[in-house]
Amino acid sequence: MAREQLNEYLEAVGAQIRWKRARRPLLRELSDHIADQAAAFEAEGQSPGEALAAAVAEMGEPEAVGRELDRLHRPRSCWRLALTVAVLLGVGLTLQLLACQVTGDSASDYYFRRQAVGLVLAVGVLVCLWFSDYTLLFRRRWVPTAAMAVLCLSFLLIPSTWLRDWWTLPVYYLLVYPVLLLPVPFAALLVTLRGKGPLAVLLCGIAALALPFTALLAPHLTAWLVSAGSMLVVLLTAVRLGWFRGKRRWNALAALGPALTAALGMGYQLARSDYAQMRMAAFWNPALDPFGYGWWYAHLRAGEVTYTSPDLLLAEVSQGLGRWVFWAAAAGIILLAALLLRRIFRLRSRTGKLTALAALCPLLFQAAIYWLYNLGWWPSGALSLPFLSYGVTFLLVDAALAGVLLSVFRMDALVRDAVAASARPVSLPEALNIPLGRGSLHIEYRKKA
């Protein structure tokens, strides 16, 4: 009889929860709490049936409890961010047409039609990921590892006929673009490693540098820097949030140790390379190489664009409208970054924070580097200005990252951080009161006899 009463109670509560995705885990949590409370009553001398009936009765009216759970656990679709992305896509098409008019590109119609088709595909990718369940990435420990392996080994999909010419565009795309997605499964890997020690942090720091290796095969140093830098930011954030066991300062050193070692090694190799020294000298002082790389840097810094390129959208538009375009772009990047970071660190779940940060960092780093490159103050190549510059494949990648970010915001009310095993005992309060409707849910923590 008591068991039937429990089932009826849970059904009544579940009927008030409108988000189907949230219904099962919430009812499971509620059932577990009732079972714990019934066990406490049974330890006081009540029969199992009486204890269960008393635990159900103590929960309060099922409709009120269900309505309160429904209020607290609804999908939070971030429509403002979705609208911002839509506006950026529209502005991107407009800027590309304007750039073609300024430079007189004869292929503007072809490029515009191709970008429009890519925009439709990107919107489809964004919407699919927006309304998907991003927690599938870390429900099984092997999933993030498998996802990273697929992204790292995507160049194996290249047909053998393409490999005859290493610099064909399909080969280049499969080597460079997938690495920008790596930070998301990397964050999922960190979720599965919660509670581990400094050794796990050290191995993750090494993996952050090694995983984007295909970008160096292209070679595209900027893509490697964006991917590896994003993963290191996520790893340091996990350390800051106390995701790993041990002192945070040692975990932070373990995370940064491989990167610092790699930086010293790269600096040593560059110092021994005459070409690298010449390139950096021309970057800092273009007058030293007026007919080579120095000519390129000098013209960009003067606001002069001599040929059209998808990597120079801001420079082309500013040549026609004025240098204020650069500062408007910088203000937009900073404002959007500040708002999104504020939204991310207000998420309830640390899991959500890490995943959202992993999706946001590649977008922000791409935008900042693109801005510097167009000003003539970035020594390597650029990627894309997210959602604005030309490039169908980059557009799809950036849309996927934005879709993951929207999915995290949408599911924040439902995601629970996994409990990590710890050698230290966890101190619990004597009681916890949770407001529910007109009353409250009172939970007492008692030691087992």
Side-chain angles (χ1 to χ4, degrees):
M1 184 65 181
R3 180 61 60 181
E4 293 178 359
Q5 182 181 359
L6 173 61
N7 292 335
E8 292 176 357
Y9 184 87
L10 294 177
E11 288 180 4
V13 172
Q16 303 298 321
I17 302 174
R18 289 172 287 181
W19 190 12
K20 294 182 180 180
R21 174 68 182 80
R23 192 174 299 159
R24 174 179 287 185
L26 290 178
L27 293 182
R28 186 186 301 117
E29 289 182 11
L30 187 60
S31 177
D32 291 343
H33 173 68
I34 292 175
D36 293 340
Q37 190 63 39
F41 287 146
E42 191 174 345
E44 293 176 354
Q46 298 185 23
S47 66
E50 292 175 346
L52 184 58
V56 172
E58 192 177 74
M59 292 301 299
E61 292 295 328
E63 289 77 12
V65 174
R67 286 194 297 269
E68 187 65 19
L69 291 175
D70 177 70
R71 184 183 69 83
L72 295 174
H73 300 85
R74 293 179 183 174
R76 301 289 194 268
S77 294
C78 192
W79 293 103
R80 285 179 293 183
L81 176 58
L83 180 61
T84 301
V85 173
V87 170
L88 289 175
L89 291 172
V91 171
L93 285 179
T94 304
L95 289 178
Q96 288 157 35
L97 278 179
L98 181 61
C100 289
Q101 292 176 0
V102 170
T103 58
D105 189 355
S106 60
S108 61
D109 293 338
Y110 166 74
Y111 290 135
F112 182 79
R113 289 197 300 268
R114 190 168 182 265
Q115 186 74 358
V117 173
L119 187 149
V120 174
L121 295 175
V123 170
V125 170
L126 185 146
V127 172
C128 289
L129 290 175
W130 180 5
F131 294 98
S132 66
D133 183 359
Y134 80 94
T135 61
L136 293 173
L137 273 174
F138 47 80
R139 288 187 186 175
R140 296 290 184 271
R141 288 183 178 270
W142 60 268
V143 172
T145 303
M148 288 187 291
V150 170
L151 293 174
C152 290
L153 301 176
S154 59
F155 66 93
L156 295 178
L157 301 175
I158 302 173
S160 58
T161 54
W162 292 0
L163 292 175
R164 297 172 186 172
D165 185 1
W166 185 256
W167 293 100
T168 56
L169 288 180
V171 176
Y172 186 80
Y173 291 162
L174 286 173
L175 289 172
V176 174
Y177 297 151
V179 303
L180 301 180
L181 298 172
L182 280 172
V184 174
F186 180 79
L189 177 65
L190 297 183
V191 170
T192 65
L193 296 176
R194 184 178 182 184
K196 302 297 182 181
L199 179 59
V201 181
L202 177 63
L203 293 176
C204 289
I206 296 174
L209 303 179
L211 287 172
F213 72 96
T214 56
L216 297 177
L217 296 177
H220 203 299
L221 180 62
T222 300
W224 180 82
L225 287 173
V226 169
S227 182
S230 299
M231 286 187 275
L232 286 176
V233 169
V234 174
L235 180 57
L236 289 173
T237 303
V239 170
R240 180 66 182 84
L241 294 175
W243 199 261
F244 299 98
R245 188 177 66 251
K247 293 185 178 180
R248 294 181 181 177
R249 68 171 71 94
W250 293 114
N251 286 332
L253 182 60
L256 289 175
L260 295 176
T261 303
L264 290 175
M266 292 177 64
Y268 176 73
Q269 292 297 326
L270 291 176
R272 297 181 59 186
S273 171
D274 294 336
Y275 171 77
Q277 292 183 25
M278 179 271 294
R279 181 80 179 264
M280 292 306 300
F283 173 75
W284 293 114
N285 187 2
L288 296 177
D289 187 17
F291 302 105
Y293 289 110
W295 177 88
W296 166 260
Y297 294 129
H299 276 72
L300 282 181
R301 293 172 192 178
E304 300 173 359
V305 182
T306 57
Y307 70 94
T308 61
S309 170
D311 297 335
L312 297 175
L313 176 64
L314 286 179
E316 291 172 0
V317 175
S318 67
Q319 184 172 336
L321 300 181
R323 300 286 284 183
W324 64 267
V325 171
F326 281 111
W327 311 115
I333 294 170
I334 294 172
L335 178 61
L336 191 58
L339 293 175
L340 288 175
L341 288 172
R342 179 174 177 269
R343 179 73 173 82
I344 287 173
F345 284 100
R346 291 176 62 185
L347 293 172
R348 301 178 185 179
S349 167
R350 296 181 181 182
T351 297
K353 290 178 182 178
L354 293 179
T355 309
L357 193 63
L360 178 62
C361 281
L363 295 174
L364 293 183
F365 290 166
Q366 283 183 80
I369 290 173
Y370 192 95
W371 184 81
L372 289 172
Y373 181 83
N374 277 248
L375 278 174
W377 286 103
W378 181 256
S380 184
L383 290 170
S384 72
L385 185 59
F387 312 113
L388 292 173
S389 62
Y390 176 80
V392 174
T393 312
F394 267 131
L395 189 61
L396 295 177
V397 170
D398 293 339
L401 293 171
V404 172
L405 191 61
L406 287 166
S407 178
V408 174
F409 292 157
R410 179 174 177 269
M411 297 191 63
D412 179 48
L414 188 59
V415 176
R416 301 288 188 272
D417 291 331
V419 178
S422 177
R424 298 182 179 179
V426 180
S427 59
L428 296 175
E430 296 181 356
L432 181 64
N433 289 309
I434 301 176
L436 288 176
R438 298 180 180 178
S440 63
L441 174 63
H442 181 74
I443 303 175
E444 291 187 0
Y445 299 92
R446 303 177 183 178
K447 295 182 179 180
K448 293 184 178 180

